Amino acid sequence: LAPAVTEAGPRGPLELSLAAAVINRVYRITAREAPRVTDMPKHEFRGFWLSTVVNIDWPSRSGLTATAQQSELRGWFDLARSLNLNAVMLQVRPSGDVFWPSTAGEPWSRYLTGTQGRNPGYDPLAYALAQAHARNLHLHAWFNPFRASMTANLSDLVSWHPARRNPSWTFAYGGRRYYNPGIPAVRAFIIKVIAEVVSKYDVDGIHLDDYFYPYPVAGQTIPDSAAYNSYRLPGESLANFRRRSVNLFVRDLSTKIFATKPRMLFGISPFGIWRNRSTDSRGSATSGFQSYDGIFADSRYWVKQGWLDYVVPQLYWHQGHPAADYNTLVNWWSAQVAGTNCKLYIGEAAYKVGDPAQGADWQDARELYNHSAKCRATARVAGQVYFSAKSVRANRLGSMTRVKDKYYRRVAMTPAMPHLGSQRPAAPVISSARWNGSGVELIWRGATTGTIPRHYAVYRWEAKASSSAFIPSQAGALRRVHRRRGNPEKFVDTGVVRGRTYWYVVVGLSDLMIESSAASAIFIRA
């Protein structure tokens, strides 16, 4: 291949007409493919949770060298890429301790070095961001909001831990130590901790798990009467006080995130059942544990109030479960996000696959595959997240391979978030496309003024000269979702056949995955 010839006039590259395409000519195109039914959606959230608490996933054990930790982390991101996932939820605050050099008051996590407060010698969050973004993965910083320690004893914490300095902020319950959500100073402190990451790191989202008030322990009562008596409203019941406290935390954290970085995403992965229909007519046709009543998490309310950009209910049951049928809950959550800006991703129990203790249904290699089929067929379901990374890697019964081979055959962009800003970025311009000995080396330049693209979508399909290029509506031809690194950008496509003719189309994408109004295209012979 010779370098591409750009047909440049006073307005830039030529607009592609219906005339025959010319080899090595660069065109500016605006035509878009009509939407069509496809099993390769262009936008879909695909991720896994990378757990750090008690070293579930990473690091594999505490006390590894920084080099070993970094090697393991790269392996997890490589795994995500190999499955055509596009996001990782990295747990950066597992238990009142952190994975970045915090100035907000909480110590380095014991799961890094084995000793709480000991510096691991590098910034794990900064390293994770660089490695994830280099692989075109989105990284969401995952926080457990109210767990202060995995043990109940304050003396197990470093002497300067906020929980030891402010013991009245905490309570012991079920063998663990928790920050009390009912105390305004506690909520403000935790928001301060999270806000440090929002302001200092280029994470793609802030993510909370399902732990608010602790899950019930038989025979024990949460010792929060002092906070209740101090901060309740007149006539407010204890249950309503707890729910209001959590609601205030979610609202205020949402407000803080958007005030600091208006285009940063905020999401929560609540327990899968809000309430049962037998209790509340708005609830699901289920008969399981109710998070509204049991852990005082009014997740439906958060969605309806517009506080979340996405919600990932943990639907860790099989299809046909008598108390909590997976399909029933997918349908219920789909109905809850209707009419809101909140995207719905489904949390999947990869850890149950092939585990004899989980019953016969989880011995079916097609269980997760069937979950993906249900999600694809259900309106407003925009992706899936798997717990946890270790189980995704184990791929028991070949379950993840089945999902990848059918549903994740192509890469996908994460869902667009136009409610946070719908301005289209400037279109890129292809500079050249040439055979470099192993594939087609595609080079393009992005805009340097106006709305600069944050990502690029690169499409390629085999075609004849009589064809025209267009911006695809689905991912059948999508080869890469490329995070902006510099100018120019480069992609080497090794999937072409020497001597055949192809269209390449490069589209600019904003940080919110909004497409440029035009794209750059080139017709080449490999």
Side-chain angles (χ1 to χ4, degrees):
L1 282 174
V5 177
T6 301
E7 290 289 317
R11 298 184 180 179
L14 288 177
E15 184 81 30
L16 181 64
S17 68
L18 295 178
V22 177
I23 292 288
N24 292 344
R25 179 174 290 172
V26 173
Y27 299 91
R28 179 182 184 276
I29 62 171
T30 55
R32 294 179 182 269
E33 180 186 28
R36 58 190 176 95
V37 176
T38 174
D39 67 351
M40 288 181 282
K42 192 159 68 171
H43 292 275
E44 185 172 57
F45 196 93
R46 306 170 184 169
F48 58 56
W49 282 286
L50 188 59
S51 303
T52 59
V53 66
V54 298
N55 300 105
I56 290 175
D57 296 316
W58 177 77
S60 59
R61 61 179 176 83
S62 62
L64 291 177
T65 65
T67 299
Q69 290 177 13
Q70 292 169 357
S71 177
E72 286 188 354
L73 190 58
R74 293 193 303 272
W76 287 120
F77 293 152
D78 288 341
L79 172 66
R81 271 274 58 105
S82 72
L83 293 169
N84 283 338
L85 306 183
N86 53 26
V88 171
M89 289 17 193
L90 174 62
Q91 193 173 33
V92 299
R93 184 180 179 268
S95 186
D97 49 14
V98 300
F99 274 63
W100 73 94
S102 177
T103 60
E106 289 190 318
W108 283 107
S109 177
R110 70 178 73 248
Y111 305 120
L112 288 165
T113 64
T115 301
Q116 190 175 70
R118 178 180 293 172
N119 192 322
Y122 74 110
D123 182 340
L125 177 52
Y127 185 80
L129 268 171
Q131 294 299 315
H133 289 171
R135 291 161 175 77
N136 304 311
L137 291 166
H138 290 239
L139 190 78
H140 289 235
W142 162 22
F143 299 79
N144 181 290
F146 293 105
R147 185 166 58 210
S149 176
M150 292 295 286
T151 66
N153 296 326
L154 285 170
S155 60
D156 291 339
L157 303 173
V158 292
S159 61
W160 47 271
H161 194 289
R164 286 191 70 172
R165 288 183 169 178
N166 303 277
S168 63
W169 281 8
T170 73
F171 57 77
Y173 182 80
R176 294 178 181 172
R177 175 71 54 172
Y178 296 91
Y179 285 112
N180 190 336
I183 299 175
V186 166
R187 300 194 297 267
F189 170 72
I190 296 172
I191 289 172
K192 175 185 174 183
V193 171
I194 297 172
E196 183 178 46
V197 170
V198 175
S199 63
K200 292 184 179 180
Y201 293 88
D202 187 28
V203 294
D204 298 286
I206 298 298
H207 182 75
L208 303 184
D209 55 32
D210 56 315
Y211 293 95
F212 294 95
Y213 278 86
Y215 281 85
V217 175
Q220 296 193 31
T221 301
I222 296 174
D224 63 343
S225 58
Y228 171 58
N229 290 330
S230 296
Y231 302 111
R232 66 180 177 180
L233 298 177
E236 187 175 39
S237 69
L238 177 59
N240 285 337
F241 165 75
R242 290 172 177 170
R243 267 187 296 275
R244 182 173 60 84
S245 298
V246 174
N247 288 345
L248 287 172
F249 172 75
V250 174
R251 183 200 68 184
D252 293 348
L253 176 58
S254 177
T255 299
K256 180 64 175 179
I257 292 169
F258 299 144
T260 306
K261 289 185 178 175
R263 298 162 73 88
M264 181 169 283
L265 305 185
F266 176 40
I268 297 179
S269 55
F271 183 79
I273 298 174
W274 173 70
R275 296 191 100 185
N276 300 313
R277 187 176 297 169
S278 59
T279 303
D280 189 318
S281 61
R282 300 168 297 173
S284 51
T286 52
S287 57
F289 176 82
Q290 303 177 117
S291 58
Y292 176 95
D293 304 275
I295 56 174
F296 311 99
D298 195 353
S299 50
R300 180 181 181 273
Y301 184 70
W302 309 334
V303 169
K304 298 297 186 182
Q305 289 298 305
W307 296 338
L308 306 181
D309 297 303
Y310 67 88
V311 64
V312 195
Q314 297 174 24
L315 304 191
Y316 292 171
W317 300 279
H318 60 79
Q319 291 179 326
H321 190 286
D325 172 50
Y326 177 88
N327 292 351
T328 296
L329 284 162
V330 169
N331 292 340
W332 185 86
W333 279 101
S334 172
Q336 304 318 303
V337 301
T340 76
N341 289 319
C342 185
K343 300 294 184 185
L344 173 61
Y345 315 139
I346 302 300
E348 300 287 352
Y351 71 95
K352 289 188 174 182
V353 175
D355 182 353
Q358 301 298 332
D361 293 275
W362 289 103
Q363 310 314 305
D364 183 351
R366 294 177 63 89
E367 182 67 33
L368 284 184
Y369 176 94
N370 292 337
H371 288 197
S372 294
K374 171 61 179 175
C375 288
R376 285 282 181 86
T378 305
R380 295 177 292 277
V381 177
Q384 294 168 282
V385 184
Y386 297 86
F387 187 83
S388 68
K390 182 167 61 178
S391 297
V392 170
R393 183 176 64 186
N395 191 28
R396 287 187 293 269
L397 308 181
S399 58
M400 289 304 303
T401 299
R402 286 178 180 269
V403 171
K404 192 243 178 164
D405 289 349
K406 171 63 177 177
Y407 294 106
Y408 301 164
R409 300 195 308 278
R410 293 286 183 215
V411 295
M413 310 170 204
T414 56
M417 297 285 185
H419 69 285
L420 296 178
S422 57
Q423 187 172 6
R424 294 184 183 275
V429 177
I430 293 173
S431 303
S432 68
R434 65 182 185 86
W435 182 265
N436 72 355
S438 61
V440 171
E441 181 182 87
L442 183 70
I443 296 177
W444 69 93
R445 288 186 174 275
T448 57
T449 59
T451 302
I452 298 174
R454 182 70 171 271
H455 310 265
Y456 299 94
V458 181
Y459 298 90
R460 181 262 294 161
W461 64 90
E462 189 173 358
K464 297 179 180 179
S466 58
S467 66
S468 294
F470 51 84
I471 300 172
S473 66
Q474 43 80 46
L478 185 60
R479 303 297 153 177
R480 185 177 180 89
V481 182
H482 181 97
R483 192 177 186 93
R484 180 171 60 85
R485 294 173 174 82
N487 223 8
E489 305 279 355
K490 182 173 72 173
F491 166 53
V492 178
D493 185 3
T494 58
V496 296
V497 177
R498 189 78 161 123
R500 295 186 180 176
T501 52
Y502 299 92
W503 274 112
Y504 279 92
V505 173
V506 182
V507 182
L509 302 168
S510 74
D511 54 342
L512 301 173
M513 289 297 167
I514 307 299
E515 291 184 326
S516 53
S517 57
S520 190
I522 186 171
F523 185 71
I524 62 101
R525 178 175 288 112

